[in-house]
């Protein structure tokens, strides 16, 4: 084969790869927009899309303004924001550590943020900004502790995941303890801080996750080429000019930031961070960064999970129960596979 | 005009508390081919990784044209100096073309995207390693030898003036070993690329290298042209092996024939 034919083939293949990635992102965005509209239209009653759009435009529609504007909209907006945060942050960790089990919700970062939020809200009765700040600080502290405890085994070692699972279990019992100490113990609260829930969402809660996504989220997406290089392993990534330590630091800080802020409001919605990356990778294939597709998948998962929990299942369940039921079998599958191949 | 001289000065390196080598001095001749040989675990990979900025030295310096490489930006260094690690990791499902294309990373700016020059470099690297027909295959579906050639293609696509390769011929059959080494010589002749490679085959090292470095337990045992370095004494000191060194009739370079306890007319004593 001549150089020229190789060149032409390479170019066609590259264009095909690029447009396949763009198509996947466009498809997922369209699906998210559609799911957003559907979940605004459908509830106990069905509101015509026209009325929904009018409510969104700020026009008062008798009969729809309350249901759509007050009940459904806050829930759906928070579902999208938390789903984007969990999906993006989770995939970033999985790519950085080259292991789907190294997801923040498996290694205790979500649980840490949740424990801090419970402490801030239930025990200290603090307001929203402080809750978010404490959740971020706790998430970073857990990350530091896990990386510290598993040091020496290489950053992607199986030890990190085992340590993380242990830390996660400890934090879950801390959450249960804090809730049991609380004067006004109630099941809704407990569900939120242990598995995540959108019950009682209000629109003003959306401010913090939106800000976190706009700042930390975009910084994180800015690291996607560095993250792609890290998939080649530290040595090759560094040999190809990636500043490995810097990329890792930015990824950890920003991913923990968005995840902790979302957790401070919705609780650690079970397994969304863990599932989004692998699902997105299935959809886009090995064609470049999985970060944005994973964020979109995360939002879809939370939207669909919450909708199913409210209207599709017999009885009403918080979103985390639904996503947990989807995620747990996948976790078991991964652990069995890791056991078989001898790798974690 | 940089002359691309790479050297280690009083270099100490290791992992955590453990030192692998200390106070090591080494000058890599620019525009030549250097082969590093030595027993397993003597520190060859550690030396290569420290000399390419993958490990920060505990003491001393690695100088490229007189400047410490640890003071240079990673991207800047990666445009001049390339390294192929001993066991690189291929992301699941990645295609050959995509992987080789990653070699272009240091040449792409923060904003600038893929250019025609990148395509050209990738195509040339694929041609040179004979992997052009594999371009759209997934790397994890290739044989060990095919995969090794793809990794070399990635290092070639980086188009650096200095190229460090950690055991580039592992997994390759003898024909492909010779092909890879020939390719490195071509590269060296055509572009004056400085090549440094870790090799386990002493005879191929002597055949292809202009400069031989023999390492033993974290220090340099011998360094110089192959006919001075590849000697019976060196083989005994570095590998603890009895041998005969004759002149290679095909090249005039030294040729080492190992003498084990079996399979030879005059077997080696039990503890040579
Ligand atoms: N990442 C690491 N962490 C800790 N110790 C390491 C690490 N990599 C290598 N070592 C140790 O450093 C020593 C030198 O290893 P190195 O990889 O440099 O040897 P080598 O000469 O390349 O051997 P080989 O021929 O087997 O590739 C060995 O004792 C090894 O166990
Ligand atoms: Mg080695």
């Amino acid at each position: 084969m001549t150089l020229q034919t190789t060149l032409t083939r390479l170019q066609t293949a590259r264009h095909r790869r690029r447009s396949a990635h763009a198509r996947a992102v466009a498809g997922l965005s369209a699906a998210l927009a559609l799911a957003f509209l559907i979940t605004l239209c459908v509830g106990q009653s069905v509101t015509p899309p026209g009325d929904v759009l009018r409510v969104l435009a700020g026009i008062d529609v008798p009969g729809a303004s309350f249901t759509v504007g007050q009940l459904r909209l806050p829930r759906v907006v928070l579902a999208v924001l938390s789903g984007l945060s969990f999906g993006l942050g989770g995939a970033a960790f999985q790519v950085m550590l080259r292991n789907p089990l190294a997801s923040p919700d498996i290694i205790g970062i979500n649980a840490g943020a949740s424990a801090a939020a419970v402490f801030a809200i239930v025990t200290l009765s603090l307001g929203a900004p402080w809750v978010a700040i404490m959740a971020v600080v706790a998430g970073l502290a857990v990350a530091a502790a896990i990386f510290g405890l598993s040091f020496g085994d290489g950053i992607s070692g199986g030890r990190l995941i085992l340590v993380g699972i242990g830390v996660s279990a400890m934090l879950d019992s801390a959450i249960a303890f804090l809730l049991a100490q609380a004067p006004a113990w109630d099941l809704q609260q407990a569900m939120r801080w242990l598995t995540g829930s959108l019950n009682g969402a209000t629109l003003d809660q959306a401010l913090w996750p939106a800000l976190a996504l706009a700042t930390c989220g975009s910084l994180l997406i800015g690291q996607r080429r560095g993250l792609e290089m890290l998939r080649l392993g530290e040595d090759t990534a560094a040999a190809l000019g990636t500043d490995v330590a810097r990329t890792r630091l930015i990824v950890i800080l920003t991913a923990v930031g968005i995840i902790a802020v979302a957790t401070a409001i919705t609780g650690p919605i079970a397994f969304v961070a863990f599932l989004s990356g692998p699902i997105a990778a299935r959809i886009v294939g090995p064609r470049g960064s999985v970060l944005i597709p994973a964020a979109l998948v995360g939002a879809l998962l939370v939207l669909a999970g919450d909708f199913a929990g409210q209207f599709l299942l017999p009885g009403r369940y918080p979103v985390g129960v639904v996503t947990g039921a989807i995620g747990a079998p996948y976790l078991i599958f991964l652990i069995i596979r890791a056991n078989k191949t001898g790798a974690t | 005009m940089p002359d691309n001289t790479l050297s280690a000065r009083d270099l100490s390196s290791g992992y955590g508390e453990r030192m692998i080598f200390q106070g090591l001095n080494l000058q890599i001749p620019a525009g030549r081919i250097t082969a590093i040989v030595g027993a397993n675990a003597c520190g060859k990979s550690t030396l290569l990784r420290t000399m390419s900025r993958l490990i920060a030295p505990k003491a001393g310096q690695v100088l490229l044209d007189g400047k410490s490489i640890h003071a240079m930006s990673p991207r800047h260094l990666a445009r001049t100096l390339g390294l192929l690690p001993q066991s690189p990791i291929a992301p699941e499902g990645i295609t050959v073309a995509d992987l080789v294309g990653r070699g272009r990373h240091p040449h792409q700016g923060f904003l600038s995207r893929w250019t025609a020059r990148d395509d050209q470099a990738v195509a040339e690297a694929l041609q040179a390693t004979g992997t052009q027909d594999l371009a759209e295959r997934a790397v994890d579906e290739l044989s060990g030898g095919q995969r090794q050639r793809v990794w070399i293609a990635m290092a070639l696509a980086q188009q650096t003036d200095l190229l460090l390769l950690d055991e580039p011929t592992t997994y390759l059959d003898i024909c492909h070993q010779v092909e890879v080494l020939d390719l490195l010589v071509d590269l060296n002749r055509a572009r004056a690329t400085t090549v440094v490679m870790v090799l386990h085959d002493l005879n191929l090292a002597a055949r292809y290298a202009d400069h031989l470095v023999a390492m033993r337990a974290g220090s340099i045992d011998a360094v110089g042209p192959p006919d001075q370095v590849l000697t019976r004494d060196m083989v005994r000191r570095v590998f603890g092996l009895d041998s005969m060194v004759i002149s290679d009739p095909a090249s005039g370079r030294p040729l080492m024939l190992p003498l084990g306890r079996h399979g030879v007319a005059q077997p080696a004593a039990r503890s040579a």
Side-chain angles (χ1 to χ4, degrees):
Chain A
M1 212 190 307
T2 67
L3 189 63
Q4 196 50 50
T5 37
T6 307
L7 205 52
T8 326
R9 279 198 192 180
L10 278 177
Q11 281 159 344
T12 1
R14 187 160 47 76
H15 288 141
R16 216 180 315 125
R17 247 192 343 256
R18 284 259 165 91
S19 55
H21 192 267
R23 267 202 309 279
V25 171
L28 281 169
S29 310
L32 182 58
L34 194 66
F36 187 82
L37 262 184
I38 291 175
T39 45
L40 281 177
C41 292
V42 185
Q44 301 291 25
S45 61
V46 175
T47 315
D51 284 357
V52 167
L53 292 177
R54 248 168 300 177
V55 174
L56 289 182
I59 301 165
D60 190 49
V61 185
S65 277
F66 179 73
T67 334
V68 175
Q70 302 293 314
L71 294 182
R72 292 180 198 158
L73 187 63
R75 221 183 157 100
V76 168
V77 166
L78 274 178
V80 170
L81 291 174
S82 59
L84 290 173
S85 306
F86 290 130
L88 180 58
F93 261 78
Q94 290 168 326
V95 172
M96 177 179 73
L97 298 172
R98 292 195 304 276
N99 192 331
L101 285 171
S103 163
D105 43 1
I106 308 279
I107 61 176
I109 287 165
N110 294 34
S114 185
V118 176
F119 187 64
I121 294 174
V122 179
T123 314
L124 304 179
S125 315
L126 295 177
W130 287 109
V131 176
I133 290 168
M134 282 185 66
V136 171
V137 170
L140 290 174
V142 171
I146 295 167
F147 286 115
L149 284 173
S150 50
F151 197 74
D153 188 23
I155 194 164
S156 57
R159 201 195 311 183
L160 186 137
I161 289 151
L162 292 179
V163 167
I165 290 173
V167 168
S168 188
M170 266 163 49
L171 288 165
D172 277 344
S173 49
I175 294 171
F177 174 79
L178 286 173
L179 287 168
Q181 296 287 304
W185 159 268
D186 88 67
L187 189 64
Q188 289 286 334
Q189 285 275 36
M191 287 304 241
R192 168 186 318 253
W193 300 118
L194 286 168
T195 71
S197 160
L198 293 165
N199 290 340
T202 60
L203 215 46
D204 54 333
Q205 288 177 324
L207 177 68
W208 291 99
L211 274 180
L213 275 171
T215 53
C216 294
S218 40
L219 259 174
L220 178 51
I221 288 173
Q223 295 299 312
R224 66 183 183 284
R225 273 170 86 192
L227 270 175
E228 273 300 298
M229 297 307 286
L230 276 184
R231 292 178 66 202
L232 298 170
E234 288 162 50
D235 276 10
T236 314
L240 291 173
T242 314
D243 192 333
V244 174
R246 184 167 163 272
T247 306
R248 268 194 193 142
L249 187 68
I250 298 177
V251 168
I252 292 172
L253 291 178
T254 55
V256 169
I258 52 177
I259 282 186
V261 169
T263 304
I265 287 161
T266 64
I269 302 180
F271 291 137
V272 174
F274 171 60
L275 285 170
S276 302
I279 295 176
R282 267 289 152 86
I283 295 172
V284 301
R287 302 184 194 99
S289 175
V290 81
L291 289 190
I292 292 173
L296 296 169
V297 167
L300 274 166
L301 273 176
V302 177
L303 263 185
D306 190 45
F307 188 76
Q310 284 193 89
F311 306 116
L312 300 183
L313 299 175
R316 295 185 131 207
Y317 301 96
V319 55
V321 172
V322 180
T323 53
I326 306 170
Y330 181 61
L331 177 61
I332 293 170
F333 163 77
L334 276 189
I335 289 175
I336 291 174
R337 196 182 67 171
N339 235 356
K340 272 194 190 131
T341 57
T344 11
Chain B
M1 178 70 197
D3 45 4
N4 302 315
T5 48
L6 185 68
S7 59
R9 193 168 296 165
D10 298 324
L11 195 64
S12 304
S13 184
Y15 304 93
E17 295 291 295
R18 196 161 148 238
M19 286 292 200
I20 302 300
F21 55 80
Q22 271 172 312
L24 184 144
N25 285 290
L26 181 66
Q27 177 85 32
I28 303 293
R32 315 300 296 276
I33 298 180
T34 300
I36 302 177
V37 300
N40 287 137
C42 73
K44 304 179 295 293
S45 298
T46 308
L47 177 61
L48 235 48
R49 297 174 74 213
T50 313
M51 292 192 78
S52 53
R53 207 182 188 278
L54 303 195
I55 312 179
K58 305 265 186 226
Q61 281 184 313
V62 178
L63 300 175
L64 177 61
D65 293 328
K67 274 189 298 194
S68 165
I69 62 165
H70 290 87
M72 294 164 84
S73 93
R75 195 181 283 262
H76 182 83
L77 179 66
R79 284 197 285 261
T80 310
L81 188 151
L83 168 86
L84 181 61
Q86 185 167 359
S87 11
I89 302 165
E92 209 176 309
I94 194 173
T95 63
V96 170
D98 194 355
L99 184 73
V100 175
R102 307 227 168 168
R104 299 303 296 163
H105 184 257
H107 298 277
Q108 291 160 349
F110 217 64
L111 298 170
S112 67
R113 305 304 301 172
W114 196 265
T115 64
R117 272 193 60 197
D118 296 323
D119 270 329
Q120 183 77 24
V122 172
E124 281 173 15
L126 291 173
Q127 291 285 134
T129 50
T131 48
Q132 68 272 33
D133 292 328
L134 305 175
E136 289 313 305
R137 296 265 301 273
V139 174
D140 36 26
E141 289 166 5
L142 301 179
S143 79
Q146 289 174 322
R147 210 174 301 161
Q148 188 66 19
R149 283 186 286 146
V150 168
W151 284 113
I152 291 170
M154 186 192 79
L156 294 185
Q158 199 176 344
Q159 295 188 328
T160 52
D161 291 335
L162 289 105
L163 184 54
L164 278 46
L165 306 111
D166 200 345
E167 301 192 21
T169 54
T170 38
Y171 297 112
L172 299 182
D173 63 43
I174 184 66
C175 169
H176 282 119
Q177 287 184 36
V178 167
E179 253 175 41
V180 162
L181 293 169
D182 277 339
L183 171 75
L184 294 174
V185 174
D186 289 341
L187 196 69
N188 169 259
R189 299 234 169 108
R191 301 193 177 181
T193 306
T194 306
V195 175
V196 182
M197 56 190 176
V198 172
L199 284 184
H200 275 301
D201 188 316
L202 296 181
N203 294 330
L204 287 179
R207 172 86 64 90
Y208 281 93
D210 306 307
H211 194 70
L212 212 54
V213 177
M215 273 185 87
R216 174 168 56 105
S219 62
I220 290 179
D221 183 88
V223 55
D227 51 359
Q228 284 171 28
V229 173
L230 181 51
T231 60
R232 193 167 163 240
D233 283 345
M234 183 280 275
V235 174
R236 180 172 296 139
R237 282 194 312 270
V238 169
F239 296 97
L241 179 74
D242 239 347
S243 66
M244 265 167 83
V245 176
I246 60 172
S247 174
D248 178 354
S251 65
R253 301 271 177 108
L255 183 72
M256 191 277 299
L257 306 171
L259 300 176
R261 287 187 294 107
H262 297 290
V264 287
Q266 286 170 306
R270 206 163 227 294
S271 55

